[in-house]
Amino acid sequence: MNEVLERLRAEADGSPGYEALLAAGPDGLAASLTAAGQPLWARELAAYRLGMARDRRAFEPLVLLLNHRDPARCEAAAQALGVLGDPRTARAAAALATNTLRTAYALHPVRLLAALRAPESAPALISTLSRLLAPHDPYWRVALACVEGLGALADARARDVLVRAQAHPRLALAATDALNRLMAHHPDA
């Protein structure tokens, strides 16, 4: 949490609005999310604080930040969404993880899906990983996160895609580990 706040403090560059948002209560934070002309750092700070307080008014702004091109914003949004506990989170993360046009920004949605352990998690990770196993796919870090997430979920449906992932040098060790974890939970898989 402190890393996020320090990053946003630096982005605010001495703006008095930073301290005001840091001191604001839930209603003030929610109001700042809909106020016109707010800089991105202010919207992120308000959404992040609301999410960490489990206030569902943060859901939509956090999903937008989860889909941002800046990895630090995505990571902070994923953290807050994980705490928020909104039942819509897994469906939104799955939509972002499986969006073929946004694969470059799918790392944090993939990690969030694994952490959520929701019904949508394994199917979305399997779908995303299957697509990323094409030769010379540039998004191997996203593929690796899918492999690691599937290992954590130990869902038997992931067996075939994990076996295929073993053929990829950057994924082989993680895929073998994931398969071992899956077999420990499902010896008949």
Side-chain angles (χ1 to χ4, degrees), residues 8 11 17 21 29-51 58 61-62 64-65 73:
L8 294 173
E11 285 183 38
L21 283 172
L29 293 170
S32 75
L33 288 174
T34 58
Q38 290 289 333
L40 183 56
W41 65 261
R43 292 189 188 285
E44 182 181 355
L45 178 57
Y48 181 79
R49 287 200 55 227
L50 282 172
L62 287 172
L64 290 173
L65 290 166
R73 292 195 200 291

Side-chain angles (χ1 to χ4, degrees), residues 75-170:
E75 184 177 4
Q79 180 186 8
L81 282 164
V83 171
L84 181 62
D86 191 297
R88 301 170 291 176
T89 300
R91 191 170 39 246
L96 294 174
T98 58
N99 183 336
T100 58
L101 300 176
R102 302 293 293 172
T103 304
Y105 311 111
L107 182 63
H108 293 289
V110 162
R111 289 179 176 162
L112 179 59
L113 279 168
L116 292 172
R117 306 182 81 78
E120 297 89 345
S121 296
L125 296 181
I126 291 167
S127 171
T128 301
L129 180 58
S130 293
R131 182 171 38 85
L132 298 177
L133 292 179
H136 310 295
D137 189 279
Y139 303 113
W140 66 270
R141 285 182 180 86
V142 176
L144 181 60
C146 288
V147 168
E148 292 168 346
L150 289 168
L153 295 172
D155 189 302
R157 296 173 291 182
R159 185 185 182 288
D160 291 342
V161 74
L162 289 171
V163 167
R164 290 195 342 254
Q166 285 181 303
H168 292 263
R170 289 181 166 161

